Amino acid sequence: MRNGDYFPNRFQAQADVVNLICGAKTQSNPENTVGVLTMAGEGVRVLVTPTSDLGKILACMHGLEIGSEMNLAAGIQVAQLALKHRQNKKQQQRIIVFAGGPVKYDKKVLEMIGRKLKKNSVALDVVNFGEEDKGKAEKLEALVAAVNNNDSSHVVHVPPGPSALSDVLISTPIFTGDGQGGSSFAAAGGVSGFEFGVDPNLDPELALALRVSMEEERAKQEAAAKKAAEEAAKQESGEHSASKDVTISENANTGMTEPENKTKDQMDDENALLRQALAMSMGDSSSAVATRDTEMSEAATDDHDLQLGENLCLLAKFHFLTCVLFSFVFSLSSLTIRSDVVHYPLCLYLCSILLMLLVIFLQYCCFP
Amino acid sequence: MACLHDHSCEEHDCSSDWSLYKHIDLSKVSALNEAVSGSVKSVFRAWEQRLNSSEGHLESNEGDPELIVFIPFTSDVKIKSISVVGGADGTSPAKMRAFINRDGIDFSDAQNMQPVQEWDLVENLQGVLEYQTRYSRFQSVGNITLHFPENFGGETCQIHYIGLKGEATQLKRDVVATIVYEVMPNPSDHKTRAETGGGLSQVE
C-alpha cells in the first residue's frame, strides 16, 4: 500500500477516494449515513459507525497505519453486522469495498458470502486496485455477480495509471449508481469546468503560471514514476496489507434519493496545485525565485514566463495592500469627524496621502 | 391449527371476513430473499381473487427456499386467522412463523428469536385452509413479519396469496403524522425581512 503506482501512493489515493465517496453519499440525501471500517491490521476494526456527520468520517481517516493482510470475508461480515444495527431500518444497505491487497479466499467462499448478502438485500460495490494476482479480478467478479440483484452492485477494476484514483471512479456507477444525486455531484465536483479551477478570464496570469508549473511537474513525475516502476518490479514480496474501508450508505424510505457537501475537494485541488507550483519554484536551485520582495530584483531564472508570472502576482499583491491601507485610513478619518474639531480629519487625510506616496516609492524601488 | 373452510360460500360473503388486505400499507410491504424485487406486493388481494395470480407471485431465489415477508398496517388490527396459497411441485411453504410489531427482522434474527406463533402448513393450492391464531396475542398488531423457513422440497418457495382475517380498529400506532422538520436548511423557506422588502436595518 506504500507503492507509488497510484499517485501519491496507494494508501493516500484510497483515502482520497473514501473522502470523496463519503462526501458524495452524505450530500446526495440528508438521511444517508456512512460508516468506515478497516480490514487489515490486527483485525477488522470499525472506525466510525454509520453517521451523517462528514466531519467525523473525515477525522477517523487520520492516523491509520499500514500493516498485515486484508481479510475480505471478515470485513464484509462485520460490515453486514454494522448495517444490520442501523438506527433507521428504512434505509437500504450497501457496502463499498476497496480491495487493494490480494484476496486469500477462494471463489466458492466468496460466492457464498455474496449469496448471503443478496438474501439480506445488501448491495455491494467493489473497487479493485493495487495488487493484481492469481485471479483476484475473477474472484471479485464472482462475488459481485452473486450479490447482484437488478444491477444494484458493481465491481470496478482500476489499473495503475497517470490519472488519480478518484478521477477514474467518479464516472463509475459507484458514484453515479444511485441515480440523481451522484451525477449532479460529479458534474459540480472537483472539475469546475476550468483547468486548475481558475477562470482564465478573471485571472490570466495566475492561470498561465499554474499551467506552466503543472506541465513541468508532470514531466518530472513521469520520469520519477518510471524509475519507481522499475524498482517496484524488483521487490515483489513487498507490499500486501490494504486497509479496506467499508462505507455503508443508505436510502431514505420511498424516495430513493441521496445527497451532501464537497466544496472541500475543490479547495484541496487548488491548494495542492499552488503548493506544487511554489514547491517547484522553490526547489529549483538554478531559478532562485523566492517569494520575498527584496530578492525579486536579483532573481535570474531559466523560465522567463514563470518569473513574469511571479512578478505580476506580487504587483497585484502590492496594489491590493495599498488599497486596503488607503481604505482603512479613510474610514478612520471619517469616523473621527466631529463638528468642533474641523482640522482633525484634514490632517488624517494628509497622512494617508503621504502613506500612499511612500508605498508607491517603495514599489518603484523594488521594480526598477 | 388448520380449519377447513367446509361450507359453500353462497350462504355468506366470505370475502368480507378476509378484508384485512385493505388495511395493509402496500407501499411499505417488503420481503427478503425474493427473486424479483417488489413482487411481494402482488400476493395481497381480495378473497375471490386468491387463486388469480396473473399479476405475479412471490418467489424466493433459486436454491434457497427461505422467505421473510414484512407486512405493515395502516392502523392497528386484530388478526384471527391467516391463509396461505403456495405453489405446486413442492414449492409451497411448509412452516410459518410470525413476529408482531418488530421492525427490520432479517434471517439471522428470525432464526434465533422465538416467534409469537408457529404453524406447520400443508399444501393449500385451492386456498381453502386457514390457520387460526392465538387471538389474545394478536390483539393490536401494527405490523406482522412472516418467516417461511422451509418448503416441501422444491428448488424455490412460491407464495401466490396471503390472506388475513380479522378486524381493524381505527387506532394508529404512532401518531407522528404531520410534523415537518428540516434536515438541511433551505434558504427559500426562510425569507428575511430584507428580502421581503423590509426597511434598512439600523446599527446604533
Side-chain angles (χ1 to χ4, degrees), chain B residues 33-36 39 57-61 67 156-159:
Chain B
N33 202 27
E34 53 178 349
V36 177
S39 56
H57 56 272
L58 173 62
E59 184 156 10
S60 69
N61 281 317
L67 273 176
T156 64
C157 184
Q158 285 182 12
I159 294 181

Side-chain angles (χ1 to χ4, degrees), chain B residues 143-154:
Chain B
N143 58 61
I144 184 172
T145 305
L146 296 173
H147 173 219
F148 303 95
E150 298 162 2
N151 67 356
F152 285 101

Side-chain angles (χ1 to χ4, degrees), chain A residues 30 84 118-121, chain B residues 64 66 106 108-109 183:
Chain A
K84 185 167 125 171
K118 183 176 179 179
K119 193 165 167 186
N120 286 301
S121 71
Chain B
D64 194 356
E66 272 194 87
D106 70 348
S108 48
D109 292 337
V183 180

